[in-house]
Amino acid sequence: MALTALDIYKKLPQTNCGKCGFPTCLAFAMQLANKKASIDACPDVSDEAKDLLESSAAPPIKLVKVGSGDREIEMGDEVVMHRHEKTFYHPVAYALMVDDDSPDIESKVQATEEMKFERVGQEMQLDMIAVRSKSDDPAKFSSAVSAVKGKTSVPLVLVSQNPAVMEEGLKACASHRPLIHAATKDNYEKMAELAKANNCPLAVLEDSGLEELAELSKKVKEAGVEDIVLDLGKKPLGKLFQELTLVRRLAIKKLFRPLGYPVIMFAGGEGASEGLEVAIGTLKYASIVVMKEADRAIMYPLLTLRQNIYTDPQKPIQVKPGIYELNGPAEDSPVMITTNFSLTYFTVAGDIETSKVPSYLLVADSEGLSVMTAFAADKFTADSATELIESCGIADKVNHKKIIIPGQVARMSGKLNENSGWEVVVGPRDSSGLPKYLREYAGA
Amino acid sequence: MALELPKEKWVGKIGQIVIGALESEGGTRTSKVALGGATSLPFLGFEGEYPNEPPIGMEIFDVVREDYPEVARKPFEDVIDDPGKWAKKCVEEYGADMICIRMIGTNPEEENRSVEDAEQTIKELKEAVGVPLLIYGSGDEEKDAKVLEMASNVMAGERCLLGLAEEAAYKSISVASMSNDHGIVAFSNLDINLAKQMNILLTDFGVKLENIVMDPLQAGLGYGLEYSYSVIERIRLAALMGDKILQVPIMCGTARVWNAREAFKEDADTGDFTSRAVFWEATTALSAVLAGADALLMRHPDAVKHVKESVKNLYGGGEQ
């Protein structure tokens, strides 16, 4: 539990000396509880109180970094159960698994490296490769890790419960800080040694229950490992789902430190079934999801899901203002205008695409507000629309001066016409009316 | 020290609605579905009740638009011009728990099918399948008033859901639903306050809260899914925390997926378009259920199959 002002007050000297800048120790404690002051301001505080305060100030889920260089991944440090309460900060990392006895390791990794998508101006791709020792042969594992490393700079997960195998694998890539997977109750001492010696994060795996998992993570921490990742093990999906939720709750709501770490999950099933397990991990609380396949038809929607869920609810996603060409427009094609809230743009663009009518869509900078909100807040006006029409160069692309505006802002038509000199046509009130409207407009 | 697992004790309970009436209950349905009834978040039955595995209905049309995506059309090529056969295939081959027919052909701005023609369609549908039915109008207020009144009468005693009631048009559909004890689907556009307002409007008008199902608009993956996800989560949390007017089952559809060409267009870079479209729809549906939807309406048989499997695994794997 987070410390209350009263909890903190009990640990302070209670002398009300005022050296911290606050009149009383209680006032100081209240500022500390709200994280508005630092304990360092008190010259007389005991070391014990200091430790207590510092540990309670640590984030509920530890930030753990895997990998090195510009593909390094940060995970953990989440603060809410539901994204609308604030936001989800560190997007789940997607990892593809390759086996050390597989003949096509290099081609599989190569294909993953080449799988890059761009969507709404963001690059999307797989983030990690998990190399699993199926052979249980140190030499074979080491050469597989080297082969993977030769093809990619993404962070690796090394998967083996045999410390001898892990040690060889680490020799091939330790400086890149792979995630060691995994310490179990049988091998944790040796695995913790390896993690410390190589300065690598360590996954702890325990499938018998959360209490047992917490015990194991405590032991690993006592052995000196700070960067820990939890693996709840293989279990029925519904059980796993419940435990993922419980781990997140214990960490965030109870500040239960032994489970206050990011979670790695191995998706079960095949094809679309595996994909849906990845989706579940994305929505509910995994920080790494490992999958066996990476088909483009599944990866693209999954990466889109991650992009959606990890956007900040406080900051609407915006598209770039300007001219968008849809369905291959020509000089006599209709010109429409809307605002740059991504959802507005996508809806309007989707409806125009459905109409199949070649069109120009002008997107005005409304600071990410939808048409009606922007209009009400004076962020989408006859003036700003005029400015866009004049600055974007649409006049050079078409042989007419007619612009279709959203039906909801019909009121701006007079002024827009006056300002811009363009003939203003009032379109449908809702974007869903566009397909029919445009077909008739183009046919007329 | 034993680890104490943090269980939420919610004070609210989501209403449960049963759709479909068997012969013994005065109808002709051969199956019913129950939705809602939860006192926990989805699939967390260990801390409350999550009594019903979310049922999946499939959506059909009285008339299919010319531009209906090929991927969604293909599994039904042989039956798509006959809503009765289409529905039968959904139920018998693909395991649909319910059928929702959207009467878009009655819209005066589309085919303007007469109420008599629509009546024929609904009678055929009623004969063709034994699962519970949902009947949606075309969105034209005046025409929907007549079509849904007719549907209410034709389906008297069958305990259907009629839709969609909207803020600007809810009175005639409310009358249609109340006159033969059908349920009603209240639509709101991605806004928790509007969702609540709809339930208030309907109950003020005389509809019983226990006869309402909410459709808060499920945006498609990539097209605002995150807004829907959070709106649904907020609605469900508010209901569990005690907001009575929101203690109503939620039904989400994947219709929007089939407006987003990105989901199903031919594009080698983003993989096989059929697999992509199916997974796009399945992901959209699954995210709705995890956010709090109590029932789904879907289109593609393979997407239905995948989501059914996932929902079953989620539901069966844990203590509910």
Side-chain angles (χ1 to χ4, degrees):
Chain A
M1 287 295 241
L3 292 179
T4 65
L6 215 55
D7 296 331
I8 298 169
Y9 174 70
K10 287 177 191 155
K11 302 285 174 192
L12 294 176
Q14 303 178 16
T15 51
N16 298 335
C17 68
K19 288 185 224 165
C20 60
F22 298 96
T24 62
C25 288
L26 186 61
F28 183 47
M30 287 168 80
Q31 296 299 317
L32 286 171
N34 291 327
K35 305 196 164 38
K36 298 237 168 78
S38 160
I39 187 69
D40 295 333
C42 176
D44 306 319
V45 74
S46 69
D47 286 346
E48 183 213 349
K50 218 169 173 172
D51 285 351
L52 183 78
L53 278 169
E54 272 163 9
S55 68
S56 93
I61 301 176
K62 188 174 163 57
L63 179 75
V64 175
K65 296 177 183 177
V66 187
S68 63
D70 56 4
R71 299 299 299 271
E72 181 187 71
I73 289 165
E74 294 189 342
M75 54 195 163
D77 200 13
E78 301 295 340
V79 295
V80 291
M81 298 297 297
H82 304 282
R83 58 185 291 285
H84 65 262
E85 295 167 314
K86 190 159 176 75
T87 188
F88 292 167
Y89 287 103
H90 295 106
V92 53
Y94 290 150
L96 177 70
M97 182 142 78
V98 296
D99 286 326
D100 68 345
D101 63 354
S102 147
D104 56 353
I105 292 182
E106 289 186 331
S107 61
K108 213 172 164 184
V109 175
Q110 181 74 31
T112 311
E113 271 296 284
E114 285 163 9
M115 195 192 300
K116 283 183 188 154
F117 306 106
E118 198 191 306
R119 191 168 190 284
V120 232
Q122 287 178 17
E123 270 215 348
M124 313 193 299
Q125 57 189 319
L126 272 150
D127 312 280
M128 307 178 89
I129 301 282
V131 192
R132 176 169 65 174
S133 165
K134 268 184 96 179
S135 65
D136 205 36
D137 172 352
K140 197 156 196 173
F141 188 54
S142 164
S143 76
V145 172
S146 299
V148 171
K149 229 184 90 240
K151 289 278 176 200
T152 181
S153 61
V154 299
L156 305 184
V157 186
L158 304 187
V159 185
S160 168
Q161 290 171 25
N162 180 342
V165 169
M166 186 59 69
E167 188 168 7
E168 281 309 302
L170 280 167
K171 280 182 191 161
C173 67
S175 63
H176 296 276
R177 294 200 82 232
L179 173 64
I180 300 174
H181 185 284
T184 64
K185 57 180 178 296
D186 301 320
N187 71 11
Y188 76 91
E189 283 155 327
K190 286 185 176 157
M191 285 295 187
E193 281 310 314
L194 286 173
K196 274 193 298 181
N198 293 288
N199 184 30
C200 291
L202 175 62
V204 297
L205 165 67
E206 174 57 62
D207 59 10
S208 62
L210 296 184
E211 190 163 348
E212 291 79 359
L213 179 65
E215 281 307 314
L216 184 60
S217 95
K218 270 190 232 169
K219 285 179 186 160
V220 165
K221 183 163 194 288
E222 278 158 18
V225 178
E226 293 290 329
D227 289 337
I228 295 172
V229 174
L230 307 172
D231 186 341
L232 314 187
K234 215 176 148 133
K235 51 192 63 168
L237 186 63
K239 181 83 182 147
L240 179 64
F241 177 82
Q242 295 183 346
E243 290 192 356
L244 283 163
T245 304
L246 284 167
V247 166
R248 178 81 156 229
R249 260 191 213 161
L250 280 162
I252 286 178
K253 298 197 160 175
K254 304 287 175 194
L255 284 182
F256 182 63
R257 301 295 178 187
L259 296 180
Y261 298 104
V263 175
I264 184 171
M265 161 182 164
F266 287 72
E270 277 168 26
S273 301
E274 181 182 45
L276 287 181
E277 290 206 12
V278 178
I280 291 166
T282 304
L283 294 164
K284 295 284 182 183
Y285 313 136
S287 285
I288 302 176
V289 184
V290 184
M291 56 198 101
K292 301 175 291 293
E293 295 167 63
D295 179 347
R296 284 174 180 259
I298 304 290
M299 280 322 299
Y300 184 68
L302 280 176
L303 288 160
T304 302
L305 177 69
R306 175 173 81 179
Q307 184 182 51
N308 283 177
I309 291 299
Y310 281 87
T311 53
D312 186 345
Q314 321 292 331
K315 288 184 208 138
I317 321 180
Q318 305 182 18
V319 296
K320 222 173 111 205
I323 305 177
Y324 287 78
E325 301 188 353
L326 300 163
N327 307 324
E331 58 180 12
D332 58 348
S333 298
V335 175
M336 277 156 279
I337 187 165
T338 190
T339 66
N340 77 331
F341 176 37
S342 69
L343 193 50
T344 301
Y345 167 77
F346 275 129
T347 309
V348 174
D351 287 326
I352 294 173
E353 284 184 346
T354 300
S355 78
K356 301 201 176 88
V357 175
S359 308
Y360 288 102
L361 178 61
L362 306 188
V363 173
D365 184 357
S366 62
E367 298 172 21
L369 298 178
S370 66
V371 170
M372 271 314 284
T373 317
F375 185 64
D378 273 341
K379 304 281 186 200
F380 180 48
T381 62
D383 289 339
S384 69
T386 303
E387 198 188 308
L388 176 68
I389 292 168
E390 283 168 1
S391 66
C392 71
I394 185 67
D396 302 330
K397 290 186 183 271
V398 291
N399 62 7
H400 61 85
K401 288 181 92 177
K402 254 193 202 174
I403 186 157
I404 302 169
I405 65 169
Q408 303 253 25
V409 296
R411 274 183 295 160
M412 74 156 72
S413 46
K415 190 156 181 226
L416 179 58
N417 170 260
E418 209 172 287
N419 283 2
S420 66
W422 281 53
E423 182 186 335
V424 178
V425 186
V426 176
R429 287 181 62 80
D430 190 87
S431 171
S432 59
L434 274 174
K436 184 173 148 48
Y437 176 86
L438 280 174
R439 279 192 290 259
E440 280 167 11
Y441 185 91
Chain B
M1 193 183 78
L3 174 62
E4 194 188 324
L5 298 178
K7 295 185 182 180
E8 299 279 3
K9 285 277 166 260
W10 303 108
V11 295
K13 179 179 166 71
I14 310 306
Q16 174 172 286
I17 184 167
V18 176
I19 322 170
L22 308 175
E23 219 175 318
S24 58
E25 299 161 321
T28 63
R29 302 297 88 200
T30 53
S31 62
K32 311 194 273 187
V33 296
L35 40 134
T39 57
S40 81
L41 287 172
F43 306 109
L44 299 184
F46 66 89
E47 59 188 9
E49 285 172 50
Y50 189 66
N52 298 305
E53 188 177 309
I56 302 179
M58 290 179 76
E59 271 186 346
I60 64 171
F61 302 99
D62 63 336
V63 177
V64 179
R65 287 195 183 111
E66 243 172 68
D67 57 8
Y68 192 55
E70 190 53 37
V71 181
R73 179 189 292 265
K74 207 163 173 213
F76 301 106
E77 240 162 12
D78 49 337
V79 293
I80 207 153
D81 294 322
D82 183 330
K85 287 184 182 158
W86 187 354
K88 209 170 159 66
K89 192 166 186 181
C90 289
V91 174
E92 290 176 3
E93 289 187 32
Y94 305 128
D97 298 318
M98 319 171 264
I99 293 291
C100 174
I101 186 164
R102 290 178 175 258
M103 302 295 288
I104 57 174
T106 62
N107 194 313
E109 295 191 7
E110 298 207 24
E111 291 208 3
N112 199 17
R113 297 179 71 223
S114 67
V115 178
E116 292 71 32
D117 281 356
E119 182 171 350
Q120 197 52 40
T121 301
I122 288 171
K123 283 182 170 162
E124 283 169 20
L125 176 63
K126 180 182 167 185
E127 289 303 314
V129 295
V131 297
L133 298 175
L134 292 81
I135 299 163
Y136 286 5
S138 66
D140 181 89
E141 189 181 356
E142 226 170 282
K143 188 67 169 278
D144 282 355
K146 294 177 198 149
V147 170
L148 292 172
E149 184 191 350
M150 171 279 291
S152 171
N153 292 331
V154 170
M155 300 303 289
E158 301 286 353
R159 187 67 177 157
C160 298
L161 283 177
L162 303 182
L164 291 164
E166 300 188 42
E167 192 185 16
Y170 65 89
K171 290 186 178 161
S172 56
I173 176 172
S174 296
V175 172
S177 88
M178 287 188 284
S179 60
N180 288 296
D181 194 32
H182 296 299
I184 190 167
V185 183
F187 177 80
S188 53
N189 198 343
L190 273 179
D191 182 337
I192 183 172
N193 296 318
L194 188 54
K196 193 167 171 172
Q197 171 71 5
M198 277 307 300
N199 292 353
I200 293 171
L201 286 174
L202 292 179
T203 46
D204 282 355
F205 192 69
V207 179
K208 289 188 184 136
L209 197 62
E210 67 248 36
N211 285 334
I212 302 174
V213 172
M214 282 188 276
D215 175 354
L217 176 58
Q218 177 60 41
L221 175 61
Y223 295 80
L225 175 131
E226 68 275 28
Y227 293 92
S228 294
Y229 187 76
S230 288
V231 166
I232 298 166
E233 279 200 323
R234 287 175 60 202
I235 290 176
R236 181 47 44 96
L237 286 166
L240 290 174
M241 284 189 241
D243 189 335
K244 288 215 164 10
I245 204 82
L246 287 173
Q247 287 167 0
V248 165
I250 297 171
M251 168 132 58
C252 288
T254 51
R256 295 285 162 136
V257 168
W258 300 102
N259 291 340
R261 285 191 69 253
E262 191 182 6
F264 51 79
K265 70 178 179 191
E266 287 194 44
D267 169 32
D269 192 41
T270 49
D272 172 71
F273 66 93
T274 302
S275 315
R276 181 186 344 114
V278 163
F279 192 68
W280 208 281
E281 182 178 22
T283 306
T284 303
L286 190 65
S287 96
V289 171
L290 290 193
D294 300 286
L296 292 167
L297 295 176
M298 300 179 64
R299 302 268 176 91
H300 198 286
D302 289 345
V304 170
K305 186 180 82 185
H306 295 313
V307 174
K308 260 186 184 276
E309 185 199 340
S310 279
V311 165
K312 202 176 195 57
N313 289 339
L314 280 167
Y315 192 78
E319 173 197 339
Q320 307 294 352

